[in-house]
Amino acid sequence: MTLPSADEIRSRVAAAGVVGAGGAGFPAAVKLAARADIYLVNGAECEPLLKVDQQLAAEQAAWLLRGLQCGMAATGAAEGVIALKAKYQPAIAALTPLLPANIRIHILKDVYPAGDEVITIWMATGRRVPPGGLPLDIGVVVSNVQTLINVARAVDEAQPVTHRTLTVNGLVKRPVTLTLPLGTSMREALALAGGPSRDDVAYLDGGPMMGKLLSTLDQPVTKTTGGILALPADHVLIRRRRQPESALLAMARTVCEQCSLCTELCPRHLIGHELPPHLIVRAMNYRQMGASPSTVLAALTCSECGVCEAYACPVDISPLRVNQLLKRELRAKGLRYQGELRPADPMAEYRLLPSSRLIARLGLDLLNHKAPLSAQAYSPKEVTLPLRQHIGAPAQPCVAAGDQVEVGQLLARTPPGQLGAPLHASIAGRVSAVDADFITLQSQDTPCLTPSL
Ligand code: SF4
Ligand code: SF4
């Protein structure tokens, strides 16, 4: 099938409300307005326990390729690269016979964080994003698998984003990867996975390394929800997230032995960014915030991958959270990091953390279930749709309480002249509430819990 013009691709993607499904939800149409020479598909999915992209790339290989070709046409990229791990054999087997001459598969080492786009780009193309810079600075655009499938469906079928595929894994009775209407509650997603397999669990929204602790299961599934993980309530990953800032800083002050292991294993540092977590911790401990401004500002370039806290530090300090605290302060002051890219560590390739070691260190082996992709549909009785599921301004409602809507109908528009994405109905039914943050829809049907789930 021939491709529409670049303008037409962007317009269809914008109208469908496609946002980056693998991160903070950057509006895809804006990314497609850039000029690049390489379009990279980030299929690393390096967060242990999440099984979305690796399965979608196998099941929907043709859609993924089509989305990549749309992305290449819109950005002018001459080369397409699909970065996958060797263990994603079904995806590699499905994609390989379909590849045109200008698209190749790059096999990534099974290391963490292969899915940090700065690291993915380096591993798949040899190019290095400067600290504080963007992939576009070096001519690369990166999208994840689900984003590009959504792009292809928007371009070829004018299909808006109404569903999200996510993994429910860990301490659940039937680990599964589901495709759910946006706005379905996490509680329902968990029920579809059979519920928790024991009592004392806590939940993460996202992967074990970068996911957020869920305070309530009433939270809705959004365009950027990658997974729900049930972990033991006393697991180190949960305890760390619950540790108050004051305790975290007191611990850093009293036990940091300046061994510098956090810096030696920091992936960003390894590829030539200044980012030295051990020096940042020291500056924080001794309130030397003005003493080495470049060092402190380098906290802004931390990807929050968590290697320093989860693996490197021998005394259980979290340089990651120190960086998060600093980022808040530095951003509030409007400060930016402006250091240069340095030579990469000649051993960088060999010093990145093997995923198997990370999984073993975190005791996740027994929780890392296959979570097969389910084709079963689920129709919730009610969905709660946040007006902001993306970077930018919240969408502006164009429906009112009492209106009847069909699946895919426009509910809220991008405010004129602003960065954002529209929102569409994920179920058919009645608009039951519209407020400043959410639109709630109620279905007239009984919720359908499919028996095979
Ligand atoms: S979280 Fe730690 S290891 Fe990861 S980039 Fe930040 S400082 Fe480096
Ligand atoms: S690894 Fe831990 S103890 Fe060593 S310098 Fe970093 S924060 Fe301090």
Side-chain angles (χ1 to χ4, degrees):
M1 205 191 304
T2 52
L3 285 164
S5 69
D7 279 346
E8 186 59 25
I9 289 172
R10 285 190 284 272
S11 147
R12 292 183 196 179
V13 169
V18 183
V19 305
F26 191 77
V30 178
K31 194 178 263 194
L32 295 183
R35 303 301 296 165
D37 38 54
I38 298 179
Y39 207 112
L40 177 64
V41 183
N42 186 347
E45 195 159 47
C46 63
E47 279 270 23
L49 278 61
L50 297 188
K51 316 283 176 183
V52 176
D53 287 350
Q54 54 200 271
Q55 298 192 77
L56 286 180
E59 294 279 326
Q60 302 190 33
W63 281 112
L64 171 58
L65 267 181
R66 179 72 177 168
L68 174 55
Q69 286 169 319
C70 291
M72 292 169 69
T75 58
E79 184 185 5
V81 182
I82 304 174
L84 295 165
K85 293 181 177 172
K87 65 184 180 185
Y88 303 158
Q89 265 311 318
I92 294 165
L95 285 161
T96 301
L98 307 177
L99 293 178
N102 59 350
I103 297 179
R104 67 181 171 89
I105 290 177
H106 179 90
I107 302 296
L108 298 164
K109 277 187 155 181
D110 192 5
V111 293
Y112 181 84
D116 166 8
E117 66 180 9
V118 168
I119 304 298
T120 325
I121 292 171
W122 173 67
M123 292 172 85
T125 71
R127 299 186 185 191
R128 293 185 300 146
V129 179
L134 294 170
L136 260 187
D137 297 338
I138 53 166
V140 183
V141 171
V142 188
S143 294
N144 95 333
V145 170
Q146 197 163 176
T147 310
L148 286 176
I149 290 171
N150 287 339
V151 163
R153 291 189 186 277
V155 171
D156 286 355
E157 298 183 337
Q159 197 177 106
V161 180
T162 56
H163 285 65
R164 167 77 214 196
T165 303
L166 67 152
T167 297
V168 188
N169 209 345
L171 289 171
V172 293
K173 291 179 186 147
R174 291 190 297 276
V176 66
T177 297
L178 297 160
T179 300
L180 297 176
L182 298 174
T184 304
S185 76
M186 297 212 172
R187 189 179 307 284
E188 285 169 278
L190 187 66
L192 290 166
S197 55
R198 63 184 232 197
D199 290 339
D200 52 339
V201 297
Y203 300 99
L204 293 182
D205 171 5
M209 297 298 284
M210 299 183 73
K212 306 259 178 304
L213 192 61
L214 265 176
S215 55
T216 166
L217 287 168
D218 294 328
Q219 215 164 293
V221 168
T222 71
K223 294 179 183 180
T224 58
T225 304
I228 303 169
L229 302 183
L231 299 180
D234 60 353
H235 194 281
V236 63
L237 291 168
I238 304 297
R239 277 193 284 111
R240 280 206 188 103
R241 284 165 170 85
R242 286 185 169 148
Q243 189 177 33
E245 283 176 8
S246 53
L248 168 97
L249 293 174
M251 194 164 160
R253 208 163 27 245
T254 47
V255 300
C256 176
E257 53 202 46
Q258 283 295 291
C259 66
S260 79
L261 274 174
C262 48
T263 299
E264 284 167 33
L265 292 179
C266 170
R268 295 273 175 120
H269 185 81
L270 284 170
I271 67 156
H273 291 197
E274 176 182 3
L275 183 58
H278 76 294
L279 295 181
I280 296 174
V281 169
R282 187 170 74 186
M284 194 80 165
N285 286 347
Y286 297 104
R287 302 307 295 172
Q288 298 169 330
M289 308 308 282
S292 48
S294 171
T295 299
V296 174
L297 285 171
L300 290 167
T301 68
C302 166
S303 69
E304 304 186 13
C305 71
V307 166
C308 50
E309 71 162 24
Y311 190 83
C313 184
V315 289
D316 217 16
I317 294 170
S318 175
L320 155 66
R321 284 195 58 197
V322 170
N323 286 344
Q324 285 173 328
L325 295 177
L326 271 172
K327 278 181 178 182
R328 236 172 31 218
E329 280 182 31
L330 298 169
R331 283 184 182 142
K333 291 179 186 161
L335 294 169
R336 297 188 54 169
Y337 177 79
Q338 291 181 322
E340 297 291 313
L341 185 61
R342 302 168 173 198
D345 183 318
M347 297 300 284
E349 195 187 337
Y350 308 100
R351 301 184 85 161
L352 287 172
L353 176 59
S355 301
S356 54
R357 263 199 243 161
L358 178 66
I359 289 170
R361 170 69 67 88
L362 294 175
L364 294 174
D365 317 52
L366 298 176
L367 303 177
N368 191 16
H369 309 295
K370 279 196 171 131
L373 187 63
S374 166
Q376 300 289 330
Y378 174 64
S379 313
K381 181 75 181 159
E382 180 177 282
V383 292
T384 305
L385 296 155
L387 292 166
R388 195 204 298 257
Q389 303 187 27
H390 52 263
I391 287 180
Q396 289 179 338
C398 53
V399 290
D403 289 354
Q404 290 290 328
V405 294
E406 294 302 321
V407 176
Q409 187 173 325
L410 185 67
L411 298 178
R413 295 191 172 89
T414 306
Q418 295 198 50
L419 181 69
L423 181 64
H424 301 81
S426 58
I427 58 170
R430 191 178 64 87
V431 178
S432 56
V434 177
D435 65 25
D437 300 312
F438 301 98
I439 293 177
T440 307
L441 307 180
Q442 276 179 347
S443 161
Q444 266 86 48
D445 303 329
T446 311
C448 164
L449 282 161
T450 48
S452 62
L453 283 171

